[in-house]
Amino acid sequence: MRSAPTPEPSTQRTDRPTPPSGSPRNAPLAGLDGVPWSEIQDSSGSAAAIPGLLHKVAWGDADTARAALGDLRKRICQYGFVVEQATAATVPFLWELAQWPQVSCRAQIIQLLKNIADARQWETTATAYPKLLNHRENPVAWERAARQAVRARRDELGRLLAEGDSEIKRATTELARTLRD
């Protein structure tokens, strides 16, 4: 007697959330694969986990999105003021998510962008210890690149300020003040 064939295991990844049905394919995060995440560093080492965290922020339920954003914050803007090499590469995706109405933690994303725009930890340290600028890994350059990445998309502030959500307006107003300096 012959037995039914055993199905082959799937080769598709199941650990990555998928966009809700009906979502446009030009949804946020379309360019994630273009960043060499495994070759750059976040506060934990390799930044390879950042795409998965961004996916969870984008398509997770409110609790999942907030938890993923908290993990992401620790990796790219530790303590709210220490940026990493991967921060500048992550900023454009944060801007995209802040614009996307389906994301549940948009105000917190905007606050993270403000923290990044305010970051001057490495620059301040380099003032006291100029030798820091001579290291192969230059955190001052990372910090400047991250701040510039936030500033590069400041034209999107108007759309966020026009929203009806008071929490988003408040966070956006604070970010706008930071970017005026």
Side-chain angles (χ1 to χ4, degrees):
M1 182 160 123
R2 297 180 69 192
S3 62
T6 305
E8 292 294 318
S10 173
T11 58
Q12 291 184 327
R13 289 186 62 163
T14 58
D15 61 336
R16 185 180 301 164
T18 56
S21 59
S23 291
R25 277 293 174 214
N26 60 351
L29 311 180
L32 271 177
D33 293 340
V35 178
W37 297 106
S38 61
E39 297 172 22
I40 58 178
Q41 300 290 307
D42 64 19
S43 68
S44 68
S46 170
I50 288 178
L53 292 170
L54 288 167
H55 275 279
K56 287 179 182 179
V57 171
W59 293 293
D61 61 44
D63 291 338
T64 301
R66 284 191 208 313
L69 185 61
D71 289 346
L72 186 62
R73 176 183 289 278
K74 289 176 194 168
R75 288 174 172 268
I76 65 166
C77 192
Q78 199 170 30
Y79 311 116
F81 58 86
V82 180
V83 301
E84 301 293 336
Q85 183 182 27
T87 306
T90 308
V91 165
F93 301 107
L94 293 173
W95 272 112
E96 287 181 45
L97 292 173
Q99 301 285 331
W100 209 35
Q102 293 87 340
V103 174
S104 62
C105 53
R106 294 168 60 214
Q108 292 80 13
I109 292 169
I110 297 165
Q111 290 167 346
L112 176 55
L113 288 168
K114 180 195 179 301
N115 290 142
I116 294 167
D118 280 336
R120 286 182 173 57
Q121 174 69 25
W122 294 116
E123 222 170 51
T124 303
T125 303
T127 302
Y129 302 101
K131 289 183 180 183
L132 182 64
L133 298 170
N134 298 329
H135 286 109
R136 183 178 59 86
E137 293 180 352
N138 187 343
V140 175
W142 301 343
E143 193 173 72
R144 289 177 182 158
R147 286 196 316 262
Q148 181 54 40
V150 175
R151 289 185 183 285
R153 304 271 298 260
R154 67 180 169 252
D155 60 327
E156 297 178 23
L157 290 170
R159 277 179 265 162
L160 291 168
L161 286 168
E163 296 219 8
D165 185 305
S166 62
E167 192 179 4
I168 289 175
K169 281 184 180 182
R170 182 188 50 73
T172 304
T173 300
E174 290 175 13
L175 175 58
R177 274 191 216 121
T178 296
L179 296 178
R180 265 188 239 137
D181 300 337

